[in-house]
């Protein structure tokens, strides 16, 4: 099982050997949702929580927020036991499919959350208006939530999560229901939070979002933490899987496979073992002009699938 | 305290938006107006009929509000998981329970006040108004605060149908406790059955002591002492139920 790197001082969220199981009916065997989770979210980072459905992502989040209680182990949020309400004073949360009272307006929703976080009346009104504008709901803030689209509810939920001036934000599938522009805006907003020193934990199925946003990713499957990877290091360490070479004119590129052709321009694929210098020489030997030479490296998706397959293998063996 | 008030305020706002509340209010008002028609067709003191039916309407409406609005709001919060959103803020579980209760109690208070004023107006019109009417309305209000606490208590661990059934049962049993004392007198002294019945009487809430409707309707004076003790007794029961609800909810997994 993978373990997190040593817990840094001031880690906003720490799981120490946390297990959780559920029993849907008293005569059924308990279903293990999390099994001995050891993980820490580092201050100031964006940590992506990845895994297939049923991996234990939502359980991990609910344990952090004191909505569930661990069977074994301890969850510490902002330096306190996660079941203490005070641990959530500087924490914002956006649930997966926001389930807010739909007769509230966007403004009322955010102001109510501000009130629960102890904001004074004037401060919460100002903060609600400011945040709703930041998520693009300034026009719709006085409309009831039942008249919002799914993406608008998601935006209102994000404003709600940020109202208490959080130092740590937990986002469960924050991009679901958003259109491409909304996804882009949310990505910028999350990156903006990191700039402001806010730590972010976010669960997602969308690996592309995680790849663009996260400093590290944690991969969960069947309640176990399979890996935690530093994406910055992964970027440097990623293996070259193949080369793609764009060539103008000329004949064959030795050792290459032609995969596309448009007029005189041809796209060749070469194996990972080829050296860049050899490819350049092969293109020149064929009489063509090299337009581009791109190494196709391992993506987060490759890492994700490889990690999951590895865990399947472990389970089968 | 501000968090409890915030939850209470949002609960009251949600209850006020509940259509069932207005339906019940109209139904109770219609029942009161119908009492005037009924009194015209009945031999006897028509003012007593107006008072009797009016007070019963307040009681039944309060019970139905506790069942449909109270149990319904808590169920919806659990079912749609809005409770999880609220509790993801720095809110303690007991603050949530007490906040919800205060919001529902405020709803019951507004209903009772509206119907109480309507009844007072009707008795004033019939020339049968006495200040004692407010004592009966006050005691009904206290009883409804207790019933609402029972609704919150059962909703904290049970399904809405069972919560509604159990709350109704508390209302009925509370008003039939006098039957236990009668039964106790008929059982042989020192018998186990008699002890069991006596024990049951002690552990079940007795709502009859605080029910002064019949006395007020018939113009029998009610001592302040009885009102004070009945109020303390029923509010203590309500407090105890809320405390147990908060304890039961404290470690409940919100899946």
């Amino acid at each position: 099982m993978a373990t997190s790197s040593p817990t840094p001082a001031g880690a906003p969220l720490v799981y120490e050997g946390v297990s959780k199981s559920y029993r849907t009916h008293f005569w059924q065997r308990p279903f293990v949702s999390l099994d001995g989770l050891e993980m820490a979210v580092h201050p100031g980072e964006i940590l992506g929580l990845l895994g297939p459905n049923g991996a234990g992502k939502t359980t991990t989040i609910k344990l952090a927020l004191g909505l569930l209680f661990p069977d074994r182990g301890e969850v510490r949020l902002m330096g306190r036991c996660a079941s203490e309400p005070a641990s959530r004073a500087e924490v914002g949360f956006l649930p997966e499919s926001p389930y807010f009272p739909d007769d509230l307006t966007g403004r009322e929703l955010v102001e109510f959350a501000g009130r629960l976080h102890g904001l004074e009346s004037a401060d919460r009104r100002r903060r609600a208006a400011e945040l709703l504008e930041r998520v693009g709901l300034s026009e719709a803030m006085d409309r009831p939530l039942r008249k919002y689209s799914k993406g608008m509810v998601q935006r209102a939920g994000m404003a709600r999560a940020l109202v208490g001036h959080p130092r740590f934000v937990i986002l469960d599938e924050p991009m679901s229901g958003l259109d491409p522009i909304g996804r882009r805006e949310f990505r910028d907003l999350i990156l903006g939070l990191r700039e402001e020193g806010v730590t972010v934990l976010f669960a997602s199925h969308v690996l592309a979002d995680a790849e663009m946003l996260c400093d590290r990713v944690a991969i969960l499957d069947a309640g176990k933490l399979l890996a935690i990877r530093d994406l910055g290091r992964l970027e440097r360490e990623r293996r070259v899987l193949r080369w793609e070479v764009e060539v103008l004119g000329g004949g064959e590129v030795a050792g290459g496979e032609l995969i596309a052709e448009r007029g005189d321009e041809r796209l060749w694929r070469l194996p990972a073992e080829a050296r860049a210098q050899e490819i350049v020489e092969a293109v020149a030997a064929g009489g063509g002009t090299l337009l581009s030479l791109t190494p196709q490296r391992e993506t987060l998706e490759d890492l994700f699938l490889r990690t999951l397959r590895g865990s399947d293998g472990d389970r089968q063996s | 305290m501000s968090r409890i008030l915030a939850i209470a305020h949002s609960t009251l706002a949600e209850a006020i938006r509940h259509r069932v509340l207005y339906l019940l209010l109209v139904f109770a008002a219609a029942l009161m107006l119908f009492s005037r028609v009924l009194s015209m067709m009945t031999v006897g003191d028509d003012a007593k009929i107006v008072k009797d039916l009016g007070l019963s309407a307040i009681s039944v409406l309060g019970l139905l509000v506790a069942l449909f609005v109270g149990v319904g709001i808590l169920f919806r919060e659990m079912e749609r998981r809005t409770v999880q959103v609220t509790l993801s803020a720095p809110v303690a579980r007991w603050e949530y329970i007490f906040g919800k209760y205060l919001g529902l109690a405020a709803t019951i208070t507004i209903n009772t006040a509206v119907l109480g004023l309507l009844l007072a107006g009707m008795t004033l019109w019939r020339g049968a108004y006495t200040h004692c009417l407010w004592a009966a309305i006050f005691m009904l209000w206290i009883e409804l605060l207790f019933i609402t606490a029972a609704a919150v208590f059962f909703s904290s661990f049970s399904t809405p149908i069972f919560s509604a059934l159990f709350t109704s049962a508390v209302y009925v049993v509370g008003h039939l406790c006098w039957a236990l004392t009668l039964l106790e007198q008929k059982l042989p002294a020192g018998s186990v059955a008699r002890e069991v019945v006596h024990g049951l009487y002690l552990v079940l809430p007795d709502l009859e002591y605080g029910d002064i409707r019949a006395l007020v309707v018939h113009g029998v004076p009610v001592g302040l002492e009885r009102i004070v003790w009945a109020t303390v007794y029923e509010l203590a029961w309500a407090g105890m139920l809320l405390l147990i609800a908060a304890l039961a909810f404290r470690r409940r997994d919100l899946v």
Side-chain angles (χ1 to χ4, degrees), chain A residues 276-290:
Chain A
Q277 184 58 38
E278 290 168 8
I279 297 170
V280 172
E281 285 167 11
V283 170
T289 307
L290 183 65

Side-chain angles (χ1 to χ4, degrees), chain A residues 20 22 62 65-69 85 88-89 93 95 99-104 108 112 115-117 160, chain B residues 3 5-7 9-10 17 80-82 84-93 250-255:
Chain A
K20 180 70 190 172
Y22 303 106
K62 285 186 175 178
L65 294 165
L67 299 172
L68 296 176
F69 299 92
R88 301 186 289 275
F93 171 52
Y99 13 75
F100 306 128
D102 57 9
D103 39 15
L104 293 184
E108 286 168 343
F112 175 57
R115 211 171 160 190
L116 295 180
H117 275 89
R160 185 197 169 283
Chain B
R3 285 188 292 268
L5 291 179
I7 294 168
H9 183 256
S10 86
R17 287 168 180 144
R80 296 174 60 198
R81 301 181 192 165
T82 40
Q84 298 183 11
V85 179
T86 304
L87 290 175
S88 68
V91 175
R93 300 266 178 121
R250 195 171 67 96
R251 298 291 294 181
R252 180 171 159 184
D253 278 337
L254 298 170
V255 180

Side-chain angles (χ1 to χ4, degrees), chain B residues 152-163:
Chain B
V152 171
F153 168 72
F154 290 120
S155 299
S156 70
F157 60 85
S158 186
T159 60
I161 291 175
F162 280 113
S163 299

Side-chain angles (χ1 to χ4, degrees), chain A residues 288-303:
Chain A
T289 307
L290 183 65
L291 295 177
S292 71
L293 172 61
T294 316
Q296 299 293 306
R297 291 182 187 274
E298 196 175 27
T299 62
L300 179 59
E301 191 173 315
D302 297 320
L303 168 76

